[in-house]
Amino acid sequence: MRQSRRILVSGGAGFIGSHLCDKLLAEGHEVLCVDNYFTGWRRNIEHLVNTPRFEVMRHDVTFPLYVEVDDIYNLACPASPIHYQHDPVQTLKTSVHGAINMLGLAKRTRAKIFQASTSEVYGDPTVHPQTEDYWGNVNPRGIRACYDEGKRAAETLFFDYHRQHKVRIKVARIFNTYGPRMHPNDGRVVSNFIVQALQNADITLYGDGSQTRSFCYVTDLLDGIARLMATGEDFIGPVNLGNPVEFSIRELAERVIALTGSKSKLIYLPLPSDDPKQRQPDIALARRELGWEPKVALEDGLKETIAYFRTLLAS
Ligand SMILES: NC(=O)c1ccc[n+]([C@@H]2O[C@H](COP(=O)([O-])OP(=O)(O)OC[C@H]3O[C@@H](n4cnc5c(N)ncnc54)[C@H](O)[C@@H]3O)[C@@H](O)[C@H]2O)c1
């Protein structure tokens, strides 16, 4: 087998995708980054464009793609509520048609294919922490459904392509991930708080800020994805990848204020509809099958992310 593989990363100009491109190139692979720049940014991959093993293709995954590849990482999908609710029909198409097109490509090329699924498949969970065998609690008609149900349908497609066509799949359910290159105004809590803190603006908390989230630093996530892709044929997921350490949203805001030395005040707004109150991964399966658990402490990850946003806001 060739050491260097031809790898397609859909959504490669996005936050997680661009870090994945960096990692795969550093490992010596050829990377084809496919992105329609809906939420991705050229800036995220600018430093790679002169690398001979790197190629960028502007392409919308809702349309078929004919290329020759060995592995596929399917990350294309707007990931934050502001972006995925902007054009809900397109969001659903991206998840469903995107999955069909990428799986069709994997079937034809016999590529191994990774799906970036999400903790949102659990909806507003009634089981805590969430294990992979929990089927979830999603409102199919709500404003988050275009994303949640889209990702659920994508999982269905992955497992059906596996059962029906023997496509080699790997599915991870990613929980809140953060780090440099997050979109500065996508409304996600970590980037929101950091940008507000760096601008000494009020920090907006929804509800009373007691709802909890777990935050996984991007390098930890990439390590989990790499371990999943390296597993044998019999392990395909879905597997939770996230940080089980929970923080309340208020606690996160207070840490960000302390680390930035900001003068920001906390203000409270009503909770948006269908916002989950609590979300925490059970990572026993990832520990057992992948020997994986997150290593980066919130404090350290926040420092890196704050440094990135400081530079970005100054440019
Ligand atoms: N960041 C997280 O906390 C998180 C959590 C769970 C799941 N995920 C999943 O991981 C993946 C990457 O998320 P991210 O945080 O990097 O988000 P992101 O918005 O930064 O990246 C998504 C990328 O997909 C591209 N894209 C969107 N629609 C497309 C289309 N139709 N055709 C081609 N490209 C398209 C965007 O332009 C962007 O570059 C997504 O599938 C997301 O659902 C992320």
Side-chain angles (χ1 to χ4, degrees):
M1 195 174 68
R2 258 198 338 273
Q3 286 295 313
S4 163
R5 304 175 69 74
R6 296 162 303 176
I7 302 179
L8 188 165
V9 179
S10 83
F15 155 51
I16 299 172
S18 62
H19 286 284
L20 180 60
C21 290
D22 284 348
K23 183 174 162 68
L24 295 171
L25 285 168
E27 289 167 359
H29 301 296
E30 286 175 39
V31 174
L32 172 61
C33 165
V34 169
D35 206 296
N36 69 350
Y37 296 113
F38 175 52
T39 50
W41 231 3
R42 265 206 204 77
R43 186 189 171 111
N44 288 345
I45 46 168
E46 217 161 43
H47 58 290
L48 300 175
V49 292
N50 291 326
T51 308
R53 285 179 285 105
F54 183 68
E55 194 182 340
V56 192
M57 185 188 278
R58 180 192 280 266
H59 174 81
D60 184 324
V61 294
T62 62
F63 296 95
L65 180 63
Y66 299 96
V67 288
E68 301 308 315
V69 287
D70 300 310
D71 292 333
I72 301 170
Y73 290 81
N74 186 35
L75 277 70
C77 188
S80 74
I82 289 182
H83 290 135
Y84 70 63
Q85 288 165 13
H86 170 76
D87 186 346
V89 173
Q90 173 67 12
T91 300
L92 197 55
K93 278 187 183 170
T94 295
S95 269
V96 174
H97 295 205
I100 291 171
N101 289 325
M102 289 297 121
L103 284 160
L105 180 61
K107 182 180 165 216
R108 184 179 64 75
T109 57
R110 300 181 192 283
K112 194 192 290 183
I113 180 166
F114 166 84
Q115 167 67 355
S117 191
T118 169
S119 56
E120 301 289 337
V121 301
Y122 300 123
D124 191 357
T126 52
V127 166
H128 190 77
Q130 292 81 53
T131 46
E132 290 83 352
D133 54 8
Y134 174 53
W135 289 354
N137 177 35
V138 174
N139 170 3
R141 295 178 287 117
I143 56 171
R144 301 172 77 103
C146 59
Y147 184 73
D148 302 6
E149 297 288 18
K151 288 285 189 179
R152 287 166 67 93
E155 280 199 15
T156 307
L157 284 160
F158 267 71
F159 284 85
D160 280 337
Y161 266 77
H162 174 69
R163 280 186 289 257
Q164 198 174 333
H165 299 300
K166 310 285 176 262
V167 171
R168 293 179 298 147
I169 62 163
K170 301 282 177 187
V171 178
R173 291 183 179 154
I174 302 169
F175 284 65
N176 262 347
T177 299
Y178 72 102
R181 302 189 199 148
M182 292 180 85
H183 207 284
N185 33 16
D186 66 1
R188 279 195 267 189
V189 65
V190 174
S191 46
N192 242 12
F193 287 1
I194 293 177
V195 170
Q196 288 169 331
L198 289 174
Q199 295 173 335
N200 292 312
D202 288 341
I203 290 193
T204 39
L205 299 184
Y206 295 96
D208 62 1
S210 65
Q211 68 274 39
T212 59
R213 292 291 183 276
S214 58
F215 305 100
C216 183
Y217 191 61
V218 64
T219 52
D220 278 334
L221 173 71
L222 292 184
D223 178 38
I225 294 175
R227 285 166 186 256
L228 172 60
M229 279 302 258
T231 52
E233 300 273 300
D234 50 339
F235 187 73
I236 58 178
V239 58
N240 289 337
L241 292 180
N243 198 325
V245 182
E246 266 188 311
F247 293 92
S248 75
I249 298 292
R250 194 183 321 113
E251 212 175 333
L252 173 72
E254 285 161 358
R255 282 194 188 215
V256 168
I257 290 178
L259 286 170
T260 49
S262 171
K263 299 187 183 66
S264 297
K265 307 251 171 313
L266 304 185
I267 58 158
Y268 296 86
L269 292 178
L271 212 53
S273 103
D274 291 343
D275 195 48
K277 285 167 255 337
Q278 208 177 21
R279 187 73 77 44
Q280 186 195 21
D282 180 315
I283 61 163
L285 184 65
R287 280 200 176 101
R288 191 170 70 241
E289 294 292 334
L290 312 179
W292 176 85
E293 63 181 359
K295 294 193 171 60
V296 181
L298 182 65
E299 195 97 348
D300 297 332
L302 283 177
K303 281 183 191 156
E304 296 288 327
T305 314
I306 289 167
Y308 166 78
F309 278 112
R310 237 187 246 289
T311 311
L312 184 73
L313 294 178
S315 64

